[in-house]
Amino acid sequence: MKFRKFGKTGWNVSEVALGTWQVGGGWGGSFDENTAHKIIHTAIDHGINFIDTADVYDGGLSEKAVGKVVRERKEKVYVATKCGRQIQPHTNEGYTPDVLRKYVESSLKNMGLETIDLIQLHCPPTPVYQRDEIFETFEKLKAEGKIQAMGVSVELVDEAIDAMKYDIVSSIQIIFNMFRHKPAEQLYTQPNIGDYGIIARVPLASGLLTGKLSAASVFDPQDHRTFNRNGEAFDKGETFSGIDYQKGLQAVEKLKEIFKGNEPLSAWAIRWILMFPQVSTVIPGASKVEQVSANLHAMELPTIGAEQMKAVRGVYEKYFKADIHHLW
C-alpha cells in the first residue's frame, strides 16, 4: 500500500481508499450485510486505512456496516462520514446547528464509535458555505471529542474555495476524473492547497470509465444512473459526472486507444487521478469483493507519460469542456 499525507491533519492515508455508496451490493439492489462486511474487511486486509461513508447511504446501513467492521479490526482505519443530506427539503434554511449536531450524534451511535475521524458536510446548498455558525458547530463538536476533523463534500469548485476560509475545514471531497478537469485548474492551484486532504470521488464516472458500459446497458430502476441523468433527484454531476451518456461512450473509445494494452481502463482512470500530487486519496466504490483488488491495481501501473496526459486532456476538451466546465 502507498500512503499520502492528508493535509493539516497529519494523517497518512492509503492513496486508494474505499467509497461505500454501493457497498451493500450495488445501486438499486437490496442491502446485503454480509457482502458489505466482506468488502470492507477485504479492503482493510489489502492495507486500505480510509473508508468514506454517509448517513444516507442505504438509510444508514452502510455506516452501520463500516462501524461494525472497524470495531472488529485492530488496524487504525480512518472513518469519514457525512451529514446534511437527510434535510428535506434540502435547503439552506434547513441547515441549523441543532440539526447537524443531532446527525453527528446519530452517526456515532449508528457506527458504535466514540469519535468520528472525519465528518463532512454532504454537498449542502451553496449559501451554507457562508454561514459562520455552521462551521462553529463543528468546532464545538471537535472540542467535545465527538469528531477529530471536519471537511466538506462539494459540488462546485467555488464552494471548496469558500470553505477553505474556515480553520476547522481540513479536507475537501470533490468529483475529479478524466471527464472532470476543473479542480486541477482552479482548486489544486490554490496557494495553501497542501493544508487540505483532497478526496477524489466518482473516479470512474458512475462506471463509464470502466469501459464496460454500452448504449445497450440497462440499469435498475432504483439506480441513479436511470433516474438522475438530468438531476431529477440530486445534482446531475453525481451521475456519469454530469456528461451526456452517448458522448461519454464515444470518449471512452478514444481513451481505450490512448491506453492500449492488457490493463483495464478503470485502472488507468484511477492512476490518472493519482498523477496529481494534490490528491490525498481516491475513493472508488465496490459492490463485489473482487472490485477492491481491481481498484488497488491502479497503484501498480507505471507513471502516465506527458503525451498520454496531454491526450486525455484533449479528449476532455473535445467532448466535454464546453458542456460542463462552467457548471461545477
Side-chain angles (χ1 to χ4, degrees):
M1 179 56 68
K2 298 176 183 178
F3 298 88
R4 297 189 179 193
K5 182 184 176 184
F6 197 73
K8 58 190 173 187
T9 66
W11 304 343
N12 288 309
V13 301
S14 49
E15 62 180 23
V16 176
L18 177 67
T20 63
W21 187 358
Q22 72 271 44
V23 77
W27 295 306
S30 58
F31 189 87
D32 187 314
E33 189 176 83
N34 290 330
T35 297
H37 292 164
K38 288 178 182 177
I39 290 170
I40 300 166
H41 272 297
T42 299
I44 300 172
D45 289 342
H46 281 77
I48 286 175
N49 74 342
F50 187 91
I51 298 176
D52 180 82
T53 185
D55 56 4
V56 293
Y57 293 169
D58 280 294
L61 294 177
S62 173
E63 262 193 350
K64 189 174 182 179
V66 170
K68 182 179 187 299
V69 173
V70 168
R71 296 196 312 272
E72 292 172 352
R73 304 292 298 227
K74 295 181 180 180
E75 302 91 334
K76 172 57 186 175
V77 179
Y78 295 100
V79 175
T81 190
K82 311 182 197 77
C83 63
R85 291 299 304 191
Q86 293 187 66
I87 297 169
Q88 294 297 332
H90 193 232
T91 62
N92 174 43
E93 292 74 20
Y95 277 75
T96 67
D98 287 345
V99 164
L100 293 172
R101 172 178 285 275
K102 288 177 181 177
Y103 288 152
V104 172
E105 292 171 348
S106 293
S107 288
L108 279 168
K109 184 177 180 181
N110 190 33
M111 293 190 288
L113 301 177
E114 294 182 1
T115 187
I116 295 170
D117 295 302
L118 179 69
I119 188 71
Q120 302 159 94
L121 282 175
H122 199 172
C123 300
T126 300
V128 172
Y129 297 95
Q130 305 294 333
R131 294 173 55 193
D132 295 353
E133 75 274 16
I134 297 299
F135 294 87
E136 289 168 358
T137 299
F138 293 100
E139 292 275 13
K140 294 174 183 176
L141 288 165
K142 183 177 180 180
E144 294 167 15
K146 294 180 178 178
I147 65 172
Q148 295 300 306
M150 182 260 179
V152 292
S153 182
V154 304
E155 299 291 0
L156 312 179
V157 169
D158 286 346
E159 292 172 343
I161 294 171
D162 282 344
M164 291 167 72
K165 67 178 179 284
Y166 294 102
D167 289 340
I168 185 65
V169 175
S170 298
S171 69
I172 297 164
Q173 183 175 147
I174 195 164
I175 295 175
F176 181 58
N177 58 45
M178 286 178 167
F179 294 160
R180 290 279 288 269
H181 289 221
K182 189 174 181 178
E185 295 180 10
Q186 297 186 17
L187 177 60
Y188 300 169
T189 53
Q190 294 294 309
N192 59 338
I193 195 63
D195 292 339
Y196 299 89
I198 301 296
I199 305 167
R201 77 173 184 275
V202 196
L204 301 180
S206 307
L208 261 176
L209 286 168
T210 64
K212 297 179 180 179
L213 301 183
S214 71
S217 295
V218 177
F219 307 102
D220 188 285
Q222 298 304 311
D223 188 325
H224 70 103
R225 294 175 294 184
T226 297
F227 64 78
N228 193 58
R229 294 195 185 190
N230 296 306
E232 293 91 338
F234 44 83
D235 192 292
K236 72 175 184 177
E238 301 285 347
T239 302
F240 298 127
S241 298
I243 65 171
D244 176 79
Y245 185 71
Q246 296 303 322
K247 279 189 178 181
L249 293 175
Q250 295 172 35
V252 162
E253 293 307 309
K254 296 298 182 182
L255 291 170
K256 287 180 177 178
E257 293 176 12
I258 296 169
F259 295 99
K260 290 180 180 179
N262 297 323
E263 302 294 351
L265 180 60
S266 58
W268 284 117
I270 294 173
R271 185 68 185 92
W272 179 86
I273 295 170
L274 294 174
M275 289 296 296
F276 294 82
Q278 299 89 347
V279 172
S280 305
T281 189
V282 186
I283 53 170
S287 57
K288 301 176 182 178
V289 168
E290 53 266 29
Q291 290 173 348
V292 176
S293 299
N295 292 335
L296 290 171
H297 179 60
M299 295 186 300
E300 301 171 7
L301 297 180
T303 298
I304 299 175
E307 286 302 311
Q308 286 178 305
M309 293 294 288
K310 183 178 178 181
V312 173
R313 176 72 186 183
V315 170
Y316 170 72
E317 291 180 344
K318 178 179 179 179
Y319 289 94
F320 309 122
K321 186 173 183 178
D323 294 337
I324 71 169
H325 197 81
H326 61 288
L327 295 179
W328 294 286

mmCIF file of all heavy atoms in Angstrom, residues 182-222:
data_model
loop_
_atom_site.group_PDB
_atom_site.id
_atom_site.type_symbol
_atom_site.label_atom_id
_atom_site.label_comp_id
_atom_site.label_asym_id
_atom_site.label_seq_id
_atom_site.Cartn_x
_atom_site.Cartn_y
_atom_site.Cartn_z
ATOM 1 N N LYS A 182 -11.755 20.463 -14.078
ATOM 2 C CA LYS A 182 -11.729 21.801 -13.497
ATOM 3 C C LYS A 182 -11.008 21.890 -12.146
ATOM 4 O O LYS A 182 -10.283 22.866 -11.905
ATOM 5 C CB LYS A 182 -13.157 22.344 -13.358
ATOM 6 C CG LYS A 182 -13.236 23.811 -12.970
ATOM 7 C CD LYS A 182 -14.686 24.297 -13.013
ATOM 8 C CE LYS A 182 -14.819 25.760 -12.652
ATOM 9 N NZ LYS A 182 -16.226 26.226 -12.735
ATOM 10 N N PRO A 183 -11.165 20.908 -11.239
ATOM 11 C CA PRO A 183 -10.443 21.026 -9.965
ATOM 12 C C PRO A 183 -8.932 21.180 -10.139
ATOM 13 O O PRO A 183 -8.287 21.910 -9.365
ATOM 14 C CB PRO A 183 -10.795 19.712 -9.250
ATOM 15 C CG PRO A 183 -12.148 19.366 -9.782
ATOM 16 C CD PRO A 183 -12.088 19.751 -11.230
ATOM 17 N N ALA A 184 -8.361 20.528 -11.127
ATOM 18 C CA ALA A 184 -6.917 20.624 -11.335
ATOM 19 C C ALA A 184 -6.497 22.038 -11.701
ATOM 20 O O ALA A 184 -5.411 22.491 -11.346
ATOM 21 C CB ALA A 184 -6.473 19.650 -12.421
ATOM 22 N N GLU A 185 -7.381 22.753 -12.387
ATOM 23 C CA GLU A 185 -7.064 24.100 -12.847
ATOM 24 C C GLU A 185 -7.309 25.163 -11.787
ATOM 25 O O GLU A 185 -6.520 26.104 -11.653
ATOM 26 C CB GLU A 185 -7.896 24.436 -14.084
ATOM 27 C CG GLU A 185 -7.591 23.578 -15.295
ATOM 28 C CD GLU A 185 -8.442 23.974 -16.479
ATOM 29 O OE1 GLU A 185 -9.130 25.020 -16.412
ATOM 30 O OE2 GLU A 185 -8.435 23.236 -17.479
ATOM 31 N N GLN A 186 -8.400 25.025 -11.030
ATOM 32 C CA GLN A 186 -8.814 26.133 -10.179
ATOM 33 C C GLN A 186 -8.766 25.847 -8.678
ATOM 34 O O GLN A 186 -8.785 26.778 -7.877
ATOM 35 C CB GLN A 186 -10.222 26.581 -10.574
ATOM 36 C CG GLN A 186 -10.278 27.121 -11.992
ATOM 37 C CD GLN A 186 -11.635 27.698 -12.362
ATOM 38 O OE1 GLN A 186 -12.453 27.995 -11.491
ATOM 39 N NE2 GLN A 186 -11.889 27.856 -13.647
ATOM 40 N N LEU A 187 -8.720 24.559 -8.291
ATOM 41 C CA LEU A 187 -8.639 24.225 -6.870
ATOM 42 C C LEU A 187 -7.224 23.809 -6.481
ATOM 43 O O LEU A 187 -6.657 24.331 -5.514
ATOM 44 C CB LEU A 187 -9.625 23.100 -6.524
ATOM 45 C CG LEU A 187 -9.585 22.613 -5.071
ATOM 46 C CD1 LEU A 187 -9.915 23.746 -4.099
ATOM 47 C CD2 LEU A 187 -10.539 21.437 -4.872
ATOM 48 N N TYR A 188 -6.640 22.916 -7.226
ATOM 49 C CA TYR A 188 -5.321 22.399 -6.870
ATOM 50 C C TYR A 188 -4.235 23.455 -6.994
ATOM 51 O O TYR A 188 -3.125 23.281 -6.483
ATOM 52 C CB TYR A 188 -4.957 21.206 -7.746
ATOM 53 C CG TYR A 188 -5.907 20.034 -7.651
ATOM 54 C CD1 TYR A 188 -5.830 18.980 -8.552
ATOM 55 C CD2 TYR A 188 -6.900 19.972 -6.666
ATOM 56 C CE1 TYR A 188 -6.710 17.909 -8.477
ATOM 57 C CE2 TYR A 188 -7.780 18.909 -6.588
ATOM 58 C CZ TYR A 188 -7.676 17.885 -7.503
ATOM 59 O OH TYR A 188 -8.543 16.815 -7.438
ATOM 60 N N THR A 189 -4.548 24.556 -7.649
ATOM 61 C CA THR A 189 -3.578 25.646 -7.813
ATOM 62 C C THR A 189 -3.672 26.681 -6.691
ATOM 63 O O THR A 189 -2.906 27.658 -6.694
ATOM 64 C CB THR A 189 -3.798 26.342 -9.161
ATOM 65 O OG1 THR A 189 -5.173 26.736 -9.267
ATOM 66 C CG2 THR A 189 -3.471 25.410 -10.313
ATOM 67 N N GLN A 190 -4.578 26.491 -5.733
ATOM 68 C CA GLN A 190 -4.673 27.414 -4.605
ATOM 69 C C GLN A 190 -3.371 27.364 -3.791
ATOM 70 O O GLN A 190 -2.816 26.282 -3.570
ATOM 71 C CB GLN A 190 -5.862 27.051 -3.708
ATOM 72 C CG GLN A 190 -7.218 27.230 -4.365
ATOM 73 C CD GLN A 190 -7.529 28.688 -4.675
ATOM 74 O OE1 GLN A 190 -7.420 29.558 -3.813
ATOM 75 N NE2 GLN A 190 -7.909 28.960 -5.912
ATOM 76 N N PRO A 191 -2.859 28.509 -3.330
ATOM 77 C CA PRO A 191 -1.546 28.528 -2.687
ATOM 78 C C PRO A 191 -1.433 27.671 -1.427
ATOM 79 O O PRO A 191 -0.351 27.188 -1.103
ATOM 80 C CB PRO A 191 -1.321 30.016 -2.372
ATOM 81 C CG PRO A 191 -2.682 30.640 -2.433
ATOM 82 C CD PRO A 191 -3.443 29.859 -3.444
ATOM 83 N N ASN A 192 -2.526 27.470 -0.722
ATOM 84 C CA ASN A 192 -2.481 26.697 0.520
ATOM 85 C C ASN A 192 -3.138 25.323 0.379
ATOM 86 O O ASN A 192 -3.563 24.727 1.368
ATOM 87 C CB ASN A 192 -3.144 27.472 1.655
ATOM 88 C CG ASN A 192 -4.605 27.810 1.352
ATOM 89 O OD1 ASN A 192 -5.012 27.840 0.189
ATOM 90 N ND2 ASN A 192 -5.376 28.075 2.395
ATOM 91 N N ILE A 193 -3.203 24.800 -0.835
ATOM 92 C CA ILE A 193 -3.917 23.548 -1.054
ATOM 93 C C ILE A 193 -3.285 22.383 -0.286
ATOM 94 O O ILE A 193 -3.976 21.421 0.081
ATOM 95 C CB ILE A 193 -3.990 23.228 -2.571
ATOM 96 C CG1 ILE A 193 -5.033 22.134 -2.842
ATOM 97 C CG2 ILE A 193 -2.625 22.865 -3.122
ATOM 98 C CD1 ILE A 193 -6.446 22.508 -2.492
ATOM 99 N N GLY A 194 -2.015 22.472 0.012
ATOM 100 C CA GLY A 194 -1.342 21.413 0.751
ATOM 101 C C GLY A 194 -1.844 21.246 2.177
ATOM 102 O O GLY A 194 -1.569 20.224 2.821
ATOM 103 N N ASP A 195 -2.594 22.225 2.670
ATOM 104 C CA ASP A 195 -3.151 22.139 4.022
ATOM 105 C C ASP A 195 -4.411 21.272 4.078
ATOM 106 O O ASP A 195 -4.934 21.026 5.165
ATOM 107 C CB ASP A 195 -3.505 23.538 4.543
ATOM 108 C CG ASP A 195 -2.275 24.393 4.799
ATOM 109 O OD1 ASP A 195 -1.183 23.828 4.962
ATOM 110 O OD2 ASP A 195 -2.417 25.629 4.836
ATOM 111 N N TYR A 196 -4.884 20.843 2.919
ATOM 112 C CA TYR A 196 -6.165 20.139 2.867
ATOM 113 C C TYR A 196 -6.014 18.730 2.307
ATOM 114 O O TYR A 196 -5.304 18.505 1.319
ATOM 115 C CB TYR A 196 -7.163 20.928 1.999
ATOM 116 C CG TYR A 196 -7.428 22.296 2.566
ATOM 117 C CD1 TYR A 196 -6.628 23.374 2.206
ATOM 118 C CD2 TYR A 196 -8.432 22.486 3.515
ATOM 119 C CE1 TYR A 196 -6.833 24.628 2.770
ATOM 120 C CE2 TYR A 196 -8.637 23.738 4.076
ATOM 121 C CZ TYR A 196 -7.832 24.803 3.719
ATOM 122 O OH TYR A 196 -8.021 26.038 4.281
ATOM 123 N N GLY A 197 -6.688 17.799 2.960
ATOM 124 C CA GLY A 197 -6.808 16.472 2.392
ATOM 125 C C GLY A 197 -7.787 16.542 1.243
ATOM 126 O O GLY A 197 -8.917 17.010 1.416
ATOM 127 N N ILE A 198 -7.361 16.110 0.077
ATOM 128 C CA ILE A 198 -8.223 16.135 -1.106
ATOM 129 C C ILE A 198 -8.693 14.712 -1.393
ATOM 130 O O ILE A 198 -7.882 13.809 -1.628
ATOM 131 C CB ILE A 198 -7.501 16.715 -2.331
ATOM 132 C CG1 ILE A 198 -7.021 18.137 -2.049
ATOM 133 C CG2 ILE A 198 -8.413 16.675 -3.552
ATOM 134 C CD1 ILE A 198 -8.127 19.138 -1.788
ATOM 135 N N ILE A 199 -10.007 14.531 -1.367
ATOM 136 C CA ILE A 199 -10.624 13.232 -1.613
ATOM 137 C C ILE A 199 -11.287 13.283 -2.985
ATOM 138 O O ILE A 199 -12.211 14.069 -3.203
ATOM 139 C CB ILE A 199 -11.679 12.911 -0.540
ATOM 140 C CG1 ILE A 199 -11.072 12.998 0.868
ATOM 141 C CG2 ILE A 199 -12.294 11.536 -0.782
ATOM 142 C CD1 ILE A 199 -12.123 13.002 1.986
ATOM 143 N N ALA A 200 -10.799 12.455 -3.911
ATOM 144 C CA ALA A 200 -11.365 12.425 -5.263
ATOM 145 C C ALA A 200 -12.466 11.374 -5.321
ATOM 146 O O ALA A 200 -12.219 10.180 -5.149
ATOM 147 C CB ALA A 200 -10.282 12.113 -6.278
ATOM 148 N N ARG A 201 -13.688 11.829 -5.558
ATOM 149 C CA ARG A 201 -14.812 10.904 -5.645
ATOM 150 C C ARG A 201 -15.296 10.766 -7.089
ATOM 151 O O ARG A 201 -14.918 11.535 -7.958
ATOM 152 C CB ARG A 201 -15.956 11.323 -4.722
ATOM 153 C CG ARG A 201 -16.831 12.471 -5.204
ATOM 154 C CD ARG A 201 -18.017 12.642 -4.246
ATOM 155 N NE ARG A 201 -18.949 13.674 -4.694
ATOM 156 C CZ ARG A 201 -18.836 14.966 -4.451
ATOM 157 N NH1 ARG A 201 -17.792 15.413 -3.770
ATOM 158 N NH2 ARG A 201 -19.749 15.823 -4.873
ATOM 159 N N VAL A 202 -16.155 9.777 -7.307
ATOM 160 C CA VAL A 202 -16.684 9.441 -8.639
ATOM 161 C C VAL A 202 -15.525 9.250 -9.636
ATOM 162 O O VAL A 202 -15.560 9.774 -10.755
ATOM 163 C CB VAL A 202 -17.695 10.496 -9.147
ATOM 164 C CG1 VAL A 202 -18.513 9.976 -10.312
ATOM 165 C CG2 VAL A 202 -18.635 10.943 -8.030
ATOM 166 N N PRO A 203 -14.497 8.516 -9.252
ATOM 167 C CA PRO A 203 -13.321 8.389 -10.117
ATOM 168 C C PRO A 203 -13.587 7.655 -11.425
ATOM 169 O O PRO A 203 -12.869 7.868 -12.410
ATOM 170 C CB PRO A 203 -12.325 7.612 -9.251
ATOM 171 C CG PRO A 203 -13.175 6.832 -8.303
ATOM 172 C CD PRO A 203 -14.328 7.756 -7.993
ATOM 173 N N LEU A 204 -14.624 6.817 -11.436
ATOM 174 C CA LEU A 204 -14.931 6.036 -12.642
ATOM 175 C C LEU A 204 -16.190 6.531 -13.342
ATOM 176 O O LEU A 204 -16.756 5.836 -14.185
ATOM 177 C CB LEU A 204 -15.060 4.551 -12.290
ATOM 178 C CG LEU A 204 -13.810 3.930 -11.648
ATOM 179 C CD1 LEU A 204 -14.041 2.467 -11.337
ATOM 180 C CD2 LEU A 204 -12.582 4.107 -12.544
ATOM 181 N N ALA A 205 -16.622 7.734 -12.981
ATOM 182 C CA ALA A 205 -17.776 8.368 -13.651
ATOM 183 C C ALA A 205 -18.977 7.439 -13.693
ATOM 184 O O ALA A 205 -19.568 7.187 -14.747
ATOM 185 C CB ALA A 205 -17.396 8.837 -15.054
ATOM 186 N N SER A 206 -19.331 6.921 -12.516
ATOM 187 C CA SER A 206 -20.502 6.031 -12.377
ATOM 188 C C SER A 206 -20.408 4.788 -13.269
ATOM 189 O O SER A 206 -21.420 4.261 -13.725
ATOM 190 C CB SER A 206 -21.802 6.793 -12.675
ATOM 191 O OG SER A 206 -21.908 7.960 -11.898
ATOM 192 N N GLY A 207 -19.200 4.355 -13.513
ATOM 193 C CA GLY A 207 -18.993 3.142 -14.294
ATOM 194 C C GLY A 207 -18.601 3.360 -15.738
ATOM 195 O O GLY A 207 -18.110 2.438 -16.401
ATOM 196 N N LEU A 208 -18.785 4.570 -16.264
ATOM 197 C CA LEU A 208 -18.418 4.832 -17.657
ATOM 198 C C LEU A 208 -16.939 4.560 -17.901
ATOM 199 O O LEU A 208 -16.554 4.004 -18.929
ATOM 200 C CB LEU A 208 -18.752 6.283 -18.023
ATOM 201 C CG LEU A 208 -20.049 6.535 -18.792
ATOM 202 C CD1 LEU A 208 -20.268 8.023 -18.982
ATOM 203 C CD2 LEU A 208 -20.023 5.822 -20.145
ATOM 204 N N LEU A 209 -16.094 4.950 -16.952
ATOM 205 C CA LEU A 209 -14.655 4.811 -17.139
ATOM 206 C C LEU A 209 -14.137 3.403 -16.844
ATOM 207 O O LEU A 209 -12.933 3.181 -16.852
ATOM 208 C CB LEU A 209 -13.908 5.859 -16.312
ATOM 209 C CG LEU A 209 -13.997 7.275 -16.897
ATOM 210 C CD1 LEU A 209 -13.511 8.321 -15.909
ATOM 211 C CD2 LEU A 209 -13.191 7.352 -18.200
ATOM 212 N N THR A 210 -15.043 2.473 -16.613
ATOM 213 C CA THR A 210 -14.619 1.076 -16.588
ATOM 214 C C THR A 210 -14.441 0.573 -18.015
ATOM 215 O O THR A 210 -13.755 -0.426 -18.256
ATOM 216 C CB THR A 210 -15.648 0.163 -15.897
ATOM 217 O OG1 THR A 210 -16.866 0.159 -16.663
ATOM 218 C CG2 THR A 210 -15.933 0.630 -14.481
ATOM 219 N N GLY A 211 -15.092 1.252 -18.958
ATOM 220 C CA GLY A 211 -15.042 0.815 -20.344
ATOM 221 C C GLY A 211 -15.952 -0.354 -20.633
ATOM 222 O O GLY A 211 -15.913 -0.927 -21.728
ATOM 223 N N LYS A 212 -16.797 -0.716 -19.676
ATOM 224 C CA LYS A 212 -17.652 -1.900 -19.827
ATOM 225 C C LYS A 212 -19.102 -1.567 -20.181
ATOM 226 O O LYS A 212 -19.890 -2.467 -20.461
ATOM 227 C CB LYS A 212 -17.621 -2.723 -18.534
ATOM 228 C CG LYS A 212 -16.248 -3.275 -18.189
ATOM 229 C CD LYS A 212 -16.283 -4.055 -16.884
ATOM 230 C CE LYS A 212 -14.912 -4.615 -16.545
ATOM 231 N NZ LYS A 212 -14.939 -5.368 -15.248
ATOM 232 N N LEU A 213 -19.463 -0.287 -20.157
ATOM 233 C CA LEU A 213 -20.839 0.096 -20.461
ATOM 234 C C LEU A 213 -21.006 0.325 -21.962
ATOM 235 O O LEU A 213 -20.040 0.579 -22.682
ATOM 236 C CB LEU A 213 -21.224 1.352 -19.680
ATOM 237 C CG LEU A 213 -21.140 1.261 -18.155
ATOM 238 C CD1 LEU A 213 -21.616 2.558 -17.520
ATOM 239 C CD2 LEU A 213 -21.931 0.076 -17.628
ATOM 240 N N SER A 214 -22.241 0.254 -22.408
ATOM 241 C CA SER A 214 -22.530 0.456 -23.822
ATOM 242 C C SER A 214 -23.884 1.125 -23.979
ATOM 243 O O SER A 214 -24.604 1.347 -22.996
ATOM 244 C CB SER A 214 -22.547 -0.885 -24.554
ATOM 245 O OG SER A 214 -23.700 -1.645 -24.185
ATOM 246 N N ALA A 215 -24.254 1.398 -25.218
ATOM 247 C CA ALA A 215 -25.556 2.004 -25.489
ATOM 248 C C ALA A 215 -26.690 1.072 -25.096
ATOM 249 O O ALA A 215 -27.814 1.510 -24.846
ATOM 250 C CB ALA A 215 -25.666 2.373 -26.964
ATOM 251 N N ALA A 216 -26.387 -0.202 -25.003
ATOM 252 C CA ALA A 216 -27.414 -1.191 -24.657
ATOM 253 C C ALA A 216 -27.473 -1.489 -23.160
ATOM 254 O O ALA A 216 -28.315 -2.275 -22.725
ATOM 255 C CB ALA A 216 -27.150 -2.486 -25.420
ATOM 256 N N SER A 217 -26.615 -0.885 -22.375
ATOM 257 C CA SER A 217 -26.593 -1.151 -20.932
ATOM 258 C C SER A 217 -27.915 -0.735 -20.301
ATOM 259 O O SER A 217 -28.456 0.335 -20.602
ATOM 260 C CB SER A 217 -25.451 -0.390 -20.260
ATOM 261 O OG SER A 217 -24.196 -0.867 -20.714
ATOM 262 N N VAL A 218 -28.424 -1.586 -19.418
ATOM 263 C CA VAL A 218 -29.681 -1.328 -18.721
ATOM 264 C C VAL A 218 -29.404 -1.287 -17.229
ATOM 265 O O VAL A 218 -28.691 -2.145 -16.697
ATOM 266 C CB VAL A 218 -30.730 -2.415 -19.030
ATOM 267 C CG1 VAL A 218 -32.012 -2.158 -18.235
ATOM 268 C CG2 VAL A 218 -31.035 -2.461 -20.523
ATOM 269 N N PHE A 219 -29.947 -0.286 -16.540
ATOM 270 C CA PHE A 219 -29.714 -0.113 -15.108
ATOM 271 C C PHE A 219 -31.010 -0.323 -14.339
ATOM 272 O O PHE A 219 -32.103 -0.091 -14.857
ATOM 273 C CB PHE A 219 -29.145 1.278 -14.831
ATOM 274 C CG PHE A 219 -27.925 1.605 -15.643
ATOM 275 C CD1 PHE A 219 -28.009 2.434 -16.756
ATOM 276 C CD2 PHE A 219 -26.698 1.057 -15.312
ATOM 277 C CE1 PHE A 219 -26.893 2.725 -17.525
ATOM 278 C CE2 PHE A 219 -25.572 1.337 -16.074
ATOM 279 C CZ PHE A 219 -25.666 2.167 -17.183
ATOM 280 N N ASP A 220 -30.872 -0.739 -13.100
ATOM 281 C CA ASP A 220 -32.015 -0.948 -12.224
ATOM 282 C C ASP A 220 -32.836 0.345 -12.123
ATOM 283 O O ASP A 220 -32.275 1.448 -12.101
ATOM 284 C CB ASP A 220 -31.496 -1.350 -10.828
ATOM 285 C CG ASP A 220 -32.611 -1.776 -9.892
ATOM 286 O OD1 ASP A 220 -33.337 -0.882 -9.402
ATOM 287 O OD2 ASP A 220 -32.738 -2.977 -9.628
ATOM 288 N N PRO A 221 -34.157 0.245 -12.054
ATOM 289 C CA PRO A 221 -34.989 1.452 -11.930
ATOM 290 C C PRO A 221 -34.622 2.307 -10.714
ATOM 291 O O PRO A 221 -34.831 3.527 -10.738
ATOM 292 C CB PRO A 221 -36.408 0.893 -11.801
ATOM 293 C CG PRO A 221 -36.356 -0.422 -12.495
ATOM 294 C CD PRO A 221 -34.981 -0.977 -12.197
ATOM 295 N N GLN A 222 -34.077 1.676 -9.664
ATOM 296 C CA GLN A 222 -33.702 2.413 -8.466
ATOM 297 C C GLN A 222 -32.249 2.899 -8.512
ATOM 298 O O GLN A 222 -31.763 3.496 -7.552
ATOM 299 C CB GLN A 222 -33.904 1.531 -7.237
ATOM 300 C CG GLN A 222 -35.342 1.092 -7.017
ATOM 301 C CD GLN A 222 -36.293 2.264 -6.916
ATOM 302 O OE1 GLN A 222 -36.043 3.211 -6.175
ATOM 303 N NE2 GLN A 222 -37.382 2.213 -7.671
#
